[in-house]
Amino acid sequence: MYFKCAVVLTILIHGAWSATEQLKFPETFMFGAASAAYQIEGAWNVSDKSLSIWDKLLHDRPELVVDHTNGDVACDSYHLWRRDIEMLQELGLNMYRFSISWPRLLPTGFSNYVSEDGKNYYNNLIDGLLEKGIQPLVTIYHFDLPQSLQDLGGWANPLITDWFADYANVVFSLYGDRVKYWVTINEPMGLCDGGYGQFSAPYFNDTYVGQNLCNKNTMIAHAKAYRIYDELYRDKYHGKLSLSTLFFWFKPVEPEDQEVTDLTIDLWAGRYTHPIFSKEGGWPRKLEQLLNENAKKQGYHYRLPPFTPEEIELVRGTYDYYALNHYTTRLVRRAKPREKAGSWFFDGSPELNVIFDKDPRWRTTGIDWFAFYSEGLREQLHWLNTTYDIKEIVITENGIPTLDDGLVDILRLDYYKEYLEQILLAINDGINVTGYAAWTLMDNFEWMSGYFSKFGLYAVDFTHPNRTRTPKESARYYSQVTRTRMVHPVVDETELNYVK
Ligand code: BGC
């Protein structure tokens, strides 16, 4: 019933079906949903799991989170993973992106000791998915570093590149026979600029040094893991690896803002994309120069720690596909004389002296960093396709945050419809987008926004011990898309109640 209203409403809003009416996603397309260990698993101290930097930070400083909550229980997916698989089936998905918790699998942080319970948990999840024809896309690291490694310097210590490579090796050896798509590290910007810019754990204020050491170390860590896979596993398992990049799309306010827009793209995403995907490798040149000039004015030698020629070669080309996390778009312009640059990372960049605006025509939600401009995704896919030699793109995250809008989440339904439509158009333009993971399967622990900001296709009752999950209208819509492979599914009465 709700779904029928939603469909009618969407038709009214958008008028006649657009040019995509007849277009279909390819048979082989991976329709998925994404999640991350700390945001859903809970079971923070079950069995021999050790503390992650998020456990430690939020136990010590609950006031940092809007609603003073944490991921101790979250969606309790550690116990309720069977229900999660059932939901993926209800949605008709054939791919699930989840992450492995490093402190759950390797409680010491090192490969000297592998937790039996940790190992079994992910084995059961992977087997359970495969039994239902859902292929796992596994993220090896999604922000939850073992606290013991943080105590040794974490992502600012270059030794982490070996610690991570060892951890990845264990993961490949345990699950590589069944996992064909990997993300080594999720969003270096989130963990480095966030972690050293007081947005996220470990919550340091060290944007000039710590953040940039972390940036370089994530590149090397990813590359070492990739090379290990090449050497020991690729011939037997034939998997594909990448690193996922959080990438807002950026457009100039006026044509003369194109140059700062290009620099913004490099600052936001090029730092993690250029070293891996470009022909020459290394940091994006112009950006590196500009940041180093800023650093020298402050008496530092550099901002971005230089790569040696060997390191450039180590990192360059370590990809099999591009893993894109796309949420929204910004307009970029230089700050006017005496105008203060926007604050990094949602409003601008003091390093580049720029301001990010949102077009007032774009729809928004109660969440201030967000704006809805679906064409941005297609423009970005074109940019990626022409800038780098990329054979395959998987959208590893895409979604919309709302305040609690209950089960009738029409704005989310519209968001998925319009963004999926842009992907379909991009595929029709000849861009090889092979998969899509909606962020996120169910409402979960949204970092510093706690349980306040909702992204889920399913609502979760966080007051109930069973963490009851209920589909929203967007879930009903998405299940129609996966079934018909069309963004304007022709709705058949019998399909309306598919998701119970
Ligand atoms: C992160 C997720 C997060 C989402 C929404 C992404 O950048 O990978 O962990 O929940 O954004 O903020």
Side-chain angles (χ1 to χ4, degrees):
M1 165 62 188
Y2 279 145
F3 182 69
K4 205 190 302 182
C5 296
V7 169
V8 171
L9 202 71
T10 344
I11 300 172
L12 289 177
I13 293 171
H14 298 291
W17 294 139
S18 65
T20 47
E21 190 181 348
Q22 303 300 328
L23 292 181
K24 278 195 167 192
F25 285 94
E27 297 272 359
T28 52
F29 194 79
M30 296 182 287
F31 283 111
S35 69
Y38 186 75
Q39 296 180 270
I40 63 163
E41 280 179 7
W44 71 279
N45 60 354
V46 163
S47 183
D48 46 4
K49 178 183 171 292
S50 68
L51 283 187
S52 77
I53 52 176
W54 278 94
D55 294 319
K56 169 93 171 88
L57 179 71
L58 300 187
H59 289 168
D60 290 354
R61 303 196 52 192
E63 76 283 359
L64 293 178
V65 176
V66 188
D67 52 6
H68 297 198
T69 55
N70 58 39
D72 282 2
V73 183
C75 306
D76 200 18
S77 286
Y78 184 75
H79 298 107
L80 300 172
W81 57 273
R82 288 184 187 79
R83 170 69 183 127
D84 294 349
I85 296 179
E86 199 175 272
M87 284 145 59
L88 297 164
Q89 275 191 286
E90 288 169 357
L91 290 166
L93 304 184
N94 56 2
M95 180 261 272
Y96 180 45
R97 176 179 176 220
F98 66 90
S99 81
I100 292 180
S101 156
W102 189 341
R104 189 179 303 289
L105 190 66
L106 301 184
T108 65
F110 296 105
S111 55
N112 64 315
Y113 172 70
V114 181
S115 159
E116 270 306 297
D117 285 345
K119 186 169 98 184
N120 291 340
Y121 173 65
Y122 297 110
N123 261 329
N124 289 337
L125 178 58
I126 291 169
D127 290 343
L129 289 167
L130 289 172
E131 255 170 47
K132 304 294 179 198
I134 302 167
Q135 85 153 303
L137 188 158
V138 176
T139 309
I140 299 173
Y141 182 74
H142 198 126
F143 303 165
D144 48 353
L145 190 69
Q147 180 61 37
S148 57
L149 299 187
Q150 185 59 55
D151 296 340
L152 297 173
W155 285 101
N157 182 345
L159 290 176
I160 197 159
T161 62
D162 292 323
W163 306 337
F164 177 76
D166 275 352
Y167 162 51
N169 193 7
V170 172
V171 172
F172 296 143
S173 71
L174 293 175
Y175 310 119
D177 55 339
R178 286 154 291 158
V179 175
K180 300 303 164 199
Y181 276 89
W182 297 97
V183 165
T184 53
I185 297 174
N186 181 65
E187 299 180 353
M189 188 168 97
L191 70 107
C192 298
D193 293 28
Y196 293 84
Q198 293 190 307
F199 275 96
S200 59
Y203 209 75
F204 291 139
N205 183 4
D206 186 6
T207 53
Y208 293 138
V209 181
Q211 174 182 303
N212 294 300
L213 291 173
C214 172
N215 280 327
K216 177 173 172 188
N217 292 336
T218 55
M219 293 295 97
I220 307 280
H222 157 80
K224 287 187 174 173
Y226 187 94
R227 301 293 178 195
I228 287 177
Y229 190 86
D230 260 358
E231 219 174 285
L232 303 178
Y233 303 98
R234 190 175 292 280
D235 286 349
K236 327 187 246 201
Y237 298 147
H238 311 288
K240 296 183 185 180
L241 277 71
S242 195
L243 164 144
S244 62
T245 302
L246 175 63
F247 198 163
F248 282 15
W249 181 234
F250 293 98
K251 290 163 73 82
V253 171
E254 300 294 343
E256 59 267 27
D257 297 312
Q258 188 59 57
E259 201 189 329
V260 285
T261 305
D262 292 344
L263 280 168
T264 301
I265 291 175
D266 275 345
L267 182 65
W268 188 277
R271 279 183 291 163
Y272 319 109
T273 291
H274 198 270
I276 300 173
F277 293 86
S278 72
K279 285 210 172 57
E280 69 270 24
W283 301 120
R285 289 257 174 77
K286 272 196 187 160
L287 177 78
E288 184 180 17
Q289 258 172 18
L290 194 144
L291 293 183
N292 288 349
E293 279 163 24
N294 290 352
K296 286 196 176 111
K297 283 185 205 146
Q298 297 168 323
Y300 294 106
H301 294 301
Y302 48 72
R303 208 59 110 215
L304 291 169
F307 287 111
T308 64
E310 293 73 28
E311 286 170 338
I312 290 182
E313 284 315 301
L314 174 77
V315 179
R316 199 169 64 96
T318 51
Y319 67 95
D320 303 306
Y321 68 100
Y322 194 93
L324 171 66
N325 292 355
H326 175 107
Y327 286 88
T328 186
T329 296
R330 288 286 193 278
L331 301 174
V332 181
R333 64 179 172 86
R334 272 190 204 287
K336 302 196 181 94
R338 284 188 294 281
E339 191 182 19
K340 206 168 160 250
S343 59
W344 187 240
F345 37 76
F346 295 137
D347 303 322
S349 162
E351 293 272 17
L352 306 183
N353 195 31
V354 297
I355 293 188
F356 302 163
D357 290 332
K358 291 181 217 132
D359 187 319
R361 286 168 298 185
W362 297 345
R363 274 163 286 169
T364 53
T365 70
I367 306 294
D368 56 356
W369 63 265
F370 183 81
F372 189 144
Y373 174 67
S374 58
E375 289 90 335
L377 175 54
R378 184 178 176 198
E379 291 165 20
Q380 186 183 44
L381 290 168
H382 274 272
W383 183 89
L384 279 170
N385 203 44
T386 49
T387 307
Y388 302 112
D389 182 17
I390 297 169
K391 304 272 181 297
E392 177 179 356
I393 300 175
V394 177
I395 295 169
T396 37
E397 286 181 31
N398 176 239
I400 175 174
T402 52
L403 298 174
D404 198 358
D405 48 0
L407 298 179
V408 189
D409 58 340
I410 302 304
L411 196 57
R412 182 167 295 101
L413 186 158
D414 274 348
Y415 179 92
Y416 282 127
K417 180 163 149 305
E418 292 177 35
Y419 277 74
L420 283 163
E421 182 167 48
Q422 293 300 318
I423 297 168
L424 200 46
L425 289 169
I427 295 174
N428 204 43
D429 297 336
I431 301 178
N432 192 29
V433 183
T434 59
Y436 175 85
W439 186 273
T440 176
L441 178 59
M442 61 194 138
D443 291 341
N444 62 33
F445 181 73
E446 175 52 24
W447 311 113
M448 295 313 189
S449 304
Y451 298 98
F452 174 78
S453 169
K454 312 278 185 197
F455 273 94
L457 288 158
Y458 279 66
V460 175
D461 182 353
F462 290 104
T463 62
H464 197 283
N466 291 345
R467 295 295 190 270
T468 317
R469 287 110 154 99
T470 313
K472 303 182 189 176
E473 287 316 299
S474 55
R476 294 176 192 275
Y477 168 72
Y478 193 30
S479 73
Q480 298 286 326
V481 175
T482 63
R483 230 156 291 282
T484 58
R485 289 185 290 110
M486 297 173 97
V487 284
H488 302 294
V490 179
V491 181
D492 159 350
E493 199 66 32
T494 55
E495 291 194 22
L496 290 179
N497 298 318
Y498 181 78
V499 179
K500 300 281 185 302

